[in-house]
Amino acid sequence: MTQVYRFVSVLAVVIIIWFASASFGPVRASAPSNEELGLTSSAHVLTTQVAGVENEPVLAPVTQAGWGAWEAVPGAVLATSAPAVTTWSRDRLEVFVRGDGGALLWQTFAGGRWSGWRNLGGGLASAPSCAAWGQNRMSCFALRQGSSAVWHIWWNGERWSEWQNLGGIATSAPAAVSWGAQRVGVFVRGSDNKMYQAYYDGQRWISWINHEGTLTSAPACASPGDNQVQCFVRGSNNKLYRRVWNGSQWTIWEDLGVSGTSAPSVASWGPSRVSLFVRGDNGNLLHRYWDGSRWIGWEDLGGNIASSPACVSWGANSLDCFAQTVDPVFNTDQGLIRRFWRG
């Protein structure tokens, strides 16, 4: 998601006007109106302010000392997919997972408390992926039972919508990302193992755009700045690759020279800061990050995770990661666990 530190109020009007005319590709799909999505011309824009003064965050290096211990996510749940997590406010986490029977389950962490799991139904056939694109605004994407299309459900601040069919032929869980107010996109692996993108430009859905590549996992995408997107995938050789939208064009696929045993997860915690996560050969959560000029890592964060990780940042120098875990003795699912970093 577009993180808290990005949306300073001085730039808000400029961002919204700029994006109104931005486009990645041809129009091929329609979408509900802004009113149906709960959007208005005065979009909800997150700000980072202290005592009325806008501040550029001081970004800290990610070190082991800043990581808390692994902890269980409360609430009895039989998770049947990797989790998803997004945020639209400081110290707030919105966690999603597919439950027993395929229902989309949702839990909020805010004010130091967990809300408990809520059942949104849906009959999911994949892990969900969710992104916040404004204050108290979220979109979730998933495959549904009996369909290879990508489906979309959104939160307008008061209620969840009905499921919307975005079409496509997906062979992986989706990856959601927001790169600006009222902008949200979804990436998937297609039937030809290439990466495809659909996105909402503030008025309509545009789909599906072919990004080539040879994927062996679901993609993972994050936005490290306004009108910027970085996507990561696992390739046919199990190595991780990156493709970047720099505000004007997409780069070619970049071989990162490392491998993983799961789909990656990615989060941005400051301008030009990107953290990459993957499950390693030993089953632990591995992490490396881009400090603005080079990659730092890897570090082993433990966890004995049983799924792809899901990570997010609610502001500068914050990271929260979630995954399924297994009992090391009986090798059985033990629900969701969380580990967080504060710089």
Side-chain angles (χ1 to χ4, degrees):
M1 71 161 283
T2 306
Q3 307 296 344
V4 173
Y5 51 81
R6 282 185 219 123
F7 293 100
V8 293
S9 56
V10 172
L11 295 177
V13 175
V14 176
I15 292 168
I16 293 170
I17 293 174
W18 191 97
F19 275 119
S21 60
S23 174
F24 288 101
V27 176
R28 298 182 185 173
S30 61
S33 67
N34 284 357
E35 288 74 19
E36 290 175 309
L37 283 167
L39 297 174
T40 65
S41 57
S42 56
H44 293 281
V45 179
L46 305 181
T47 61
T48 302
Q49 293 184 325
V50 177
V53 179
E54 298 162 8
N55 294 305
E56 184 73 16
V58 177
L59 301 176
V62 181
T63 63
Q64 280 278 357
W67 285 98
W70 285 101
E71 59 186 45
V73 176
V77 61
L78 178 57
T80 59
S81 77
V85 60
T86 189
T87 178
W88 49 265
S89 180
R90 184 179 178 86
D91 290 318
R92 185 180 187 98
L93 301 168
E94 307 286 356
V95 182
F96 301 83
V97 72
R98 183 183 64 187
D100 190 24
L104 177 61
L105 305 180
W106 168 40
Q107 183 164 196
T108 299
F109 178 81
R113 295 184 178 183
W114 289 96
S115 65
W117 291 104
R118 291 153 287 184
N119 189 328
L120 302 180
L124 273 57
S126 75
S129 184
C130 304
W133 37 267
Q135 186 76 21
N136 201 14
R137 302 292 190 271
M138 299 181 289
S139 284
C140 288
F141 304 85
L143 278 60
R144 298 180 70 192
Q145 296 167 8
S147 172
S148 60
V150 176
W151 292 77
H152 170 228
I153 189 173
W154 62 92
W155 172 257
N156 68 4
E158 296 179 353
R159 59 180 176 84
W160 287 96
S161 70
E162 299 297 323
W163 287 93
Q164 175 191 17
N165 188 340
L166 298 181
I169 301 175
T171 60
S172 77
V177 63
S178 174
W179 60 93
Q182 304 183 23
R183 302 298 184 272
V184 65
V186 58
F187 296 78
V188 296
R189 183 182 63 190
S191 58
D192 55 2
N193 294 326
K194 297 177 181 179
M195 187 174 78
Y196 288 83
Q197 173 197 10
Y199 70 95
Y200 188 73
D201 70 354
Q203 296 182 336
R204 60 195 179 276
W205 281 99
I206 297 172
S207 61
W208 285 89
I209 301 165
N210 185 345
H211 286 273
E212 300 297 334
T214 303
L215 281 61
T216 60
S217 75
C221 303
S223 174
D226 296 317
N227 197 26
Q228 298 178 36
V229 175
Q230 296 195 17
C231 288
F232 297 78
V233 302
R234 189 179 63 184
S236 57
N237 52 7
N238 285 334
K239 287 185 178 180
L240 300 182
Y241 292 81
R242 176 176 68 163
R243 195 173 198 202
V244 175
W245 171 259
N246 61 18
S248 60
Q249 64 182 357
W250 285 96
T251 64
I252 63 173
W253 286 103
E254 172 193 2
D255 185 346
L256 298 181
V258 295
S259 60
T261 62
S262 74
S265 180
V266 60
S268 177
W269 41 274
S272 301
R273 299 296 192 275
V274 174
S275 276
L276 176 62
F277 300 86
V278 71
R279 184 180 62 196
D281 292 336
N282 60 0
N284 288 345
L285 179 64
L286 304 182
H287 169 241
R288 72 188 310 207
Y289 71 96
W290 179 260
D291 71 354
S293 60
R294 63 191 178 100
W295 285 103
I296 307 295
W298 293 85
E299 60 175 340
D300 188 327
L301 299 178
N304 189 31
I305 63 176
S307 72
S308 302
C311 302
V312 73
S313 172
W314 48 251
N317 301 325
S318 76
L319 288 166
D320 285 81
C321 290
F322 296 81
Q324 288 177 279
T325 187
V326 295
D327 184 290
V329 176
F330 299 102
N331 198 35
T332 56
D333 177 33
Q334 295 294 296
L336 299 184
I337 54 174
R338 169 199 180 203
R339 194 174 188 188
F340 61 87
W341 169 78
R342 301 293 182 262

